[in-house]
Structures are given as C-alpha cells and as structure tokens.
C-alpha cells in the first residue's frame, strides 16, 4: 500500500509545502523564498518572516495539493517542522498543520528541521545504516551519527558560529549581498588561497567545530589591509576563507567516520550547495572508499519535501504529535 505525506516547512525564510509518496517520491515541492524581502536588512528579520509565512501558507498548501494531484482523502499524515527555528515562523507552519489535521482527521507528525535536511538524502538514495551526516546550514554545523532510521546521535557541533553564518558574515564584510554563501563560493573559484588563515581543530579527538576565530581573522585581515591603504583581491579572500572551512569540515568528517566505523556519508543543509565542499568531500570519500550521498541543490536549501520524507519514516515508526504540538525554537535532535 502506498503512503502519502503532506510536509510543511516554515522555520526560517522559506514557506514550503510538499507531497511525498512512500517517503521518497516527490509529487510536489512548492517553495516560496522571502530572500528578496530580507536582502536590504542583510539578514532574516523575524517579524517580516512571520508575516510572509502568514500571507503565503494557504496558497503554497493549495498549490502543493494541486501539483501533487492529491486530495485530503489521499493523505495519510501531515508532517511539519516543529523546531528549531524562529518561533514566530515555526508557529505559522505548526498551526496550519494542526488546523488541517483537525479538520481532516489526519495524524500529525512533528519533525526536527535537521532530521529533514538529513532525510533529503533518502529521496536521492535509500538510506542504509550505520551512517554519518555532515550537517552544514545557516543555523547548524553538526556531525550526526545514525545507527538506524529515526535515531540521531550528535557527535560534534559548532561551539560558536554555524558555517553558513560565518559565510554570511564574511560576505557582509566584503560588501556582498545576503545570503553571502553562494557569492563567496563563486568568487572562491575565481581566486587563489593566498592569505594565511587559521584552522580551528580544537582538542585532539573532538568532533566539535568553531568558526568565529576564522571569521574574525578574515575581518581583521581586511581591516589591516585597509589601514595600510592596500586592497586585497576579494576573490583571494573568498578562496582563502573557503579553503580553511572546507579543510576542517572534511577532515573532521573523515576522522569521525573512522572512529564510528561507518562507510556511508551524507551531506546536508544549505551549505551543502557549496561547490568547493561538494568537490572536496566527493574526492576524499572516493579516495577512502566511502559511499557519499549529496542532495541536488533544490533539496539542500530549506524545503518541505525533506520534512515529508523524514515525517514518512517517523510516521512508520509510530511517532505522533497531538494538538499540543508547538513551535520549539531550541528543539534538540535525538
Ligand atoms: O539550510 P539553509 O537553507 O537554512 C538554514 O536552515 O539555516 O542554509 C542557508 C545557508 C545560508 O547561510 C547561505 O549563505 C548558505 O546556506 N549557502 C551557502 C551556499 N548556498 C547557500 N554557503 C556556502 N556556499 C554556497 N554555495
Ligand atoms: Zn535549513
């Protein structure tokens, strides 16, 4: 028997709804991005995000149902991001999901946003265990070990800035538009890593990350150059920063894979769109004989298909939420 899940995602600045069949087949995945509205502020403004979600959610849901060619009779469950994220933004999706679940008498499944990013890979290639995911997004940098479906062990995380956050802050200092990640990525390929920058390895054996020192080093280098009346080629700054980030991400992932004895690696989150990271991780996994899955760009950034895919597994595992489901900005992955 086939299973149809309606997924809803509103944790940050994309309003999205999706219909996914049997956990892996996307029937529709409608994403409305608010980036243009936040650009002039140089980052996501929570109040503006919430208002956009409220304005968009009904149309996006309708479009996902029409494009997916389904009615509520076909739907087995409604999966929605319950956290982490911006509370006002999360609440729009959670309340829409609760209203629909109540009106159509459908089971409700609350999904962790990062579980969604991880399960974007399940749409690409069926997950097999044990595996290790490198999660790199605007709000998270984590190494997540999974011994089975629905079981998440965070074995390393950032102690300060998330990778995407560091990208966006460095980009802002370089005068690039928000979100800066893709701009740095593009420029990095036009330049050379000529500027010496630190790598934060932390203590021996730690799988944690730290990017604030690197970010400050880039900003200081730029200020020092400016004071001396010099200008550093922006492409070289981008290339040097990107090289430092990727070196640490790839090395820690390989060390963790060895310690946890996994031969399967997944890449997840918005920064998984980074061309340099994709290339380097692919080459290193090939060299070490590890199987690597990376989602296509459309499934790397926030979308509801990944929430439906994770929700499908949670639903099969018997996980259910009820009408007390709430937006939880600091929700932990476990
Ligand atoms: O996962 P995501 O869509 O939202 C969160 O859940 O945070 O990630 C957004 C982040 C932003 O910081 C953006 O700059 C970064 O992903 N990003 C990139 C690239 N594309 C998006 N960072 C580096 N290189 C890219 N190509
Ligand atoms: Zn995300």
């Amino acid at each position: 028997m086939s299973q149809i899940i309606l997924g809803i995602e509103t944790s940050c600045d994309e309003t999205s709804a999706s219909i996914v069949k049997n956990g892996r087949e996307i029937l529709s995945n409608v994403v409305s991005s608010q980036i243009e509205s936040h650009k002039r502020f140089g980052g996501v403004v929570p109040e503006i995000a919430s208002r956009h979600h409220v304005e968009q959610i009904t149309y996006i849901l309708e479009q996902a149902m029409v494009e997916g060619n389904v009615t509520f009779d076909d739907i087995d469950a409604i999966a929605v991001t319950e956290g982490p994220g911006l509370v006002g933004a999360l609440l729009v999706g959670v309340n829409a999901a609760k209203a629909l679940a109540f009106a159509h008498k459908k089971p409700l499944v609350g999904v962790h946003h990062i579980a969604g990013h991880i399960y974007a890979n399940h749409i690409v290639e069926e997950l097999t265990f044990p595996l290790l995911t490198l999660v790199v997004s605007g709000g998270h940098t984590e190494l997540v070990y999974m011994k089975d479906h629905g079981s998440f062990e965070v074995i390393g995380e950032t102690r300060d800035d998330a990778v995407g956050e560091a990208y966006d802050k460095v980009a802002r200092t370089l005068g690039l538009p928000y979100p800066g990640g893709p701009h740095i990525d593009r420029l990095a390929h036009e330049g050379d890593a000529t500027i010496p920058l630190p790598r934060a390895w932390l203590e021996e054996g730690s799988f944690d990350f730290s990017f604030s020192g690197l970010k400050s080093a880039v900003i200081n280098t730029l200020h020092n150059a400016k004071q001396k009346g010099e200008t550093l080629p922006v492409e070289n700054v981008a290339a040097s920063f990107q090289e430092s980030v990727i070196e640490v991400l790839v090395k820690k992932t390989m060390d963790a894979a060895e310690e946890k004895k996994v031969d399967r690696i997944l890449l997840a989150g918005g920064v998984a769109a980074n061309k340099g990271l994709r290339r380097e991780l692919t080459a290193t996994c090939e060299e070490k004989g590890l199987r690597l899955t990376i989602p296509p760009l459309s499934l790397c950034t926030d979308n509801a298909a990944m929430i439906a895919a994770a929700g499908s597994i949670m639903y099969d595992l018997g996980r259910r939420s009820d009408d007390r489901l709430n937006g939880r900005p600091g929700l932990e992955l476990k």
Side-chain angles (χ1 to χ4, degrees), residues 5-260:
I5 303 283
L6 164 63
I8 302 174
E9 154 67 37
T10 65
S11 70
C12 190
D13 59 350
E14 333 275 348
T15 317
S16 181
S18 165
I19 305 292
V20 170
K21 187 176 171 183
N22 298 332
R24 303 195 51 226
E25 190 188 333
I26 299 176
L27 301 186
S28 67
N29 187 22
V30 183
V31 183
S32 159
S33 171
Q34 314 171 355
I35 283 180
E36 286 308 317
S37 308
H38 298 285
K39 234 178 193 164
R40 66 194 171 107
F41 302 105
V44 176
V45 182
E47 288 79 2
I48 294 178
S50 310
R51 201 162 62 224
H52 270 279
H53 287 307
V54 170
E55 285 167 4
Q56 291 293 316
I57 189 78
T58 313
Y59 301 110
I60 299 296
L61 279 163
E62 222 169 79
Q63 204 181 330
M65 299 289 288
V66 170
E67 282 183 22
N69 198 20
V70 292
T71 68
F72 274 97
D73 284 343
D74 304 315
I75 287 176
D76 292 288
I78 300 171
V80 62
T81 308
E82 65 172 316
L86 303 168
V87 69
L90 288 165
L91 280 173
V92 178
V94 165
N95 283 319
K98 276 162 62 166
L100 290 173
F102 178 74
H104 298 281
K105 298 189 175 55
K106 298 291 174 184
L108 187 62
V109 183
V111 173
H112 192 286
H113 182 74
I114 297 301
H117 274 301
I118 294 172
Y119 272 92
N121 285 285
H122 189 54
I123 296 173
V124 185
E125 283 181 296
E126 198 160 351
L127 299 192
T128 50
F129 303 92
L131 63 79
L132 182 72
T133 307
L134 172 63
V135 181
V136 278
S137 78
H140 297 264
T141 306
E142 286 169 5
L143 278 167
V144 183
Y145 170 75
M146 291 175 75
K147 61 177 181 330
D148 209 343
H149 275 303
S151 140
F152 307 95
E153 188 193 337
V154 179
I155 61 167
E157 61 194 333
T158 183
R159 295 190 185 166
D160 38 61
D161 292 359
V163 187
E165 207 178 338
Y167 263 96
D168 293 340
K169 286 182 185 161
V170 166
R172 198 171 169 165
T173 313
L174 291 172
L176 301 168
Y178 174 85
H183 295 283
I184 295 202
D185 191 15
R186 176 177 44 80
L187 287 166
H189 291 270
E190 295 166 12
D192 296 308
T194 51
I195 302 159
L197 291 171
R199 272 93 174 122
W201 297 113
L202 305 176
E203 318 83 69
E204 179 75 31
S206 170
F207 300 128
D208 280 352
F209 301 95
S210 165
F211 293 102
S212 70
L214 171 63
K215 177 194 69 190
S216 303
V218 175
I219 295 171
N220 288 341
T221 306
L222 288 166
H223 283 171
N224 290 344
K226 199 173 168 189
Q227 271 170 356
K228 286 191 226 152
E230 299 167 6
T231 41
L232 295 170
V234 66
E235 312 83 55
N236 292 358
V237 178
S240 309
F241 169 74
Q242 178 142 311
E243 185 185 80
S244 172
V245 169
I246 293 175
E247 198 179 311
V248 174
L249 289 176
V250 173
K251 171 87 166 57
K252 293 233 174 201
T253 306
M254 292 306 121
D255 289 351
E258 198 177 319
E259 179 163 314
K260 297 302 260 183

